[in-house]
Amino acid sequence: MFNLPPIVSWVIAANVLVHVGRMFLSYPAQEWLFRTFAYVPARYTVEGAFAHDPIPAIISPIGYTLLHADFMHLFMNMAFFMAFGTVVARRMGELKFLLLYALTAIAGVLTLQFMNSDSTAVVIGASGAVSGMVGAVAAVALKPRPDRLPPPRPFHDPRNAAVFILVWIGLTVVVGILPGALFGVEGRIAWESHLGGFILGFLLMPMLEKRLPRH
């Protein structure tokens, strides 16, 4: 944690600052923040909703990642991001890393949108993008390449990676099916977002990862 790539530190800092800063806002200001940045599937399917609030509809597919329900939600997301995002950041430039973060965040809510198109539930948290980082590491570990950095521990063996992928997907679906209250969460966990981010991270990593210099 004391040797994080700068881009990982900046993303974590942005999430922490937004969450802490929100604590000092008035209730109307917090309400505006959630209305503007949180993702709501119905915005894109209910007639007239997009035209009524176009700015939030444009911002929220990425903006929702900056909002968290509480400090535990923030801590869990940032802990996973620190672990998996660090591995990914060291394998690509900062711009590619941010691109992957943004695209997996969008993939997360698009998956949720596809499966819950008329939902008025408010979706927040960086879980989609964090799952994208997990998927990227899984891709590196499942099919190591001689022209790339070796997979991180404990994924040096592709069989370990295969087991990890199956367990991750299984837990994602199970956690999403069970009531959020079992995990101390109000409402339900957006497992669709986790799954969508994971899949796109897995698919994009081989294209974005840097090659080792030839000697």
Side-chain angles (χ1 to χ4, degrees):
M1 67 179 295
F2 298 107
N3 192 29
L4 297 177
I7 190 63
V8 172
S9 299
W10 281 112
V11 171
I12 292 173
N15 278 273
V16 172
L17 285 173
V18 168
H19 188 74
V20 172
R22 181 166 65 84
M23 302 295 102
F24 296 94
L25 295 178
S26 64
Y27 180 79
Q30 291 198 47
E31 192 176 51
W32 173 87
L33 193 69
F34 273 79
R35 189 171 63 248
T36 304
F37 287 87
Y39 189 89
V40 181
R43 270 196 186 123
Y44 306 90
T45 55
V46 174
E47 186 176 354
F50 187 97
H52 177 70
D53 247 348
I55 300 302
I58 295 169
I59 292 175
S60 62
I62 294 177
Y64 80 100
T65 63
L66 290 169
L67 299 175
H68 290 83
D70 51 36
F71 277 105
M72 181 56 70
H73 187 201
L74 175 67
F75 173 79
M76 291 298 295
N77 273 340
M78 293 303 101
F80 271 92
F81 178 68
M82 189 183 298
F84 290 90
T86 296
V87 175
V88 177
R90 287 176 178 159
R91 292 168 178 267
M92 59 180 64
E94 294 184 349
L95 288 179
K96 286 184 178 180
F97 179 82
L98 288 176
L99 177 64
L100 181 67
Y101 188 90
L103 290 178
T104 52
I106 294 170
V109 286
L110 285 181
T111 305
L112 186 141
Q113 177 79 41
F114 177 75
M115 302 179 76
N116 304 272
S117 59
D118 295 325
S119 173
T120 57
V122 173
V123 182
I124 56 174
S127 302
V130 172
S131 294
M133 301 295 127
V134 179
V137 172
V140 166
L142 188 63
K143 193 175 181 181
R145 294 178 57 173
D147 60 335
R148 310 295 167 93
L149 292 170
R153 294 181 179 179
F155 303 123
H156 286 156
D157 187 337
R159 289 174 296 183
N160 292 346
V163 171
F164 172 78
I165 292 169
L166 292 174
V167 170
W168 176 272
I169 293 175
L171 285 176
T172 297
V173 174
V174 169
V175 166
I177 293 173
L178 295 175
L182 291 177
F183 308 97
V185 176
E186 292 185 17
R188 74 177 188 89
I189 296 173
W191 66 273
E192 304 95 333
S193 176
H194 299 186
L195 188 61
F198 181 92
I199 292 172
L200 190 64
F202 184 89
L203 294 175
L204 288 182
M205 184 62 177
M207 293 180 275
L208 297 176
E209 188 183 10
K210 290 188 295 188
R211 295 174 181 269
L212 291 173
R214 293 182 179 180
H215 296 289

